[in-house]
């Protein structure tokens, strides 16, 4: 799983998508595309953004939920917390975490 997270974070476009979800969680594909073009000047097709979202979702960094016709994307920070804990707060041998 850590490999998937690092792979997802290696791409600058995917990091921009995560930045947008940090700023405002629960965005549709259309909203994300609009923000990526207007704020970051990225010229990506909807299909391109959708493929980046699929990588982020596979790494567990983005969760989706449906409401009617819309699919909303939410940031999931659990994989990042797991990685941070691994090196910053490792469990003590034979003790508490």
């Amino acid at each position: 799983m850590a490999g998937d997270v690092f792979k997802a974070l290696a791409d600058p476009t995917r990091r921009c998508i995560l930045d947008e979800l940090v700023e405002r969680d629960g965005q549709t594909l259309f909203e994300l595309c609009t923000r990526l073009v207007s704020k970051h000047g990225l010229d990506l097709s909807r299909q391109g953004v959708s493929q980046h979202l699929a990588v982020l979702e596979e790494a567990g960094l983005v969760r989706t939920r449906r409401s009617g016709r819309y699919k909303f994307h939410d940031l999931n920070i659990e994989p990042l917390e797991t990685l941070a804990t691994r090196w910053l707060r490792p469990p003590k041998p034979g003790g508490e975490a």
Side-chain angles (χ1 to χ4, degrees):
M1 177 156 178
D4 291 342
V5 173
F6 286 119
K7 176 185 166 191
L9 294 174
D11 186 275
T13 300
R14 290 194 281 270
R15 291 194 302 269
C16 285
I17 292 171
L18 293 176
D19 287 342
E20 290 306 316
L21 290 175
V22 166
E23 191 169 303
R24 192 167 70 81
D25 221 6
Q27 296 186 59
T28 64
L29 176 61
F30 177 77
E31 291 169 322
L32 283 167
C33 288
T34 302
R35 291 171 73 102
L36 290 172
V37 169
S38 64
K39 291 180 68 181
H40 301 278
L42 297 176
D43 186 24
L44 293 168
S45 66
R46 286 175 51 119
Q47 183 180 9
V49 175
S50 182
Q51 289 173 345
H52 283 296
L53 282 168
V55 173
L56 292 169
E57 195 173 340
E58 188 174 308
L61 294 167
V62 170
R63 291 183 178 156
T64 61
R65 58 188 161 83
R66 287 199 174 271
S67 180
R69 295 176 35 206
Y70 298 101
K71 182 178 179 182
F72 297 95
H73 301 84
D74 297 301
L75 178 65
N76 178 26
I77 60 169
E78 287 178 24
L80 298 173
E81 290 177 331
T82 300
L83 289 176
T85 300
R86 178 177 173 177
W87 288 292
L88 298 177
R89 294 183 304 264
K92 295 177 182 170
E96 299 175 13

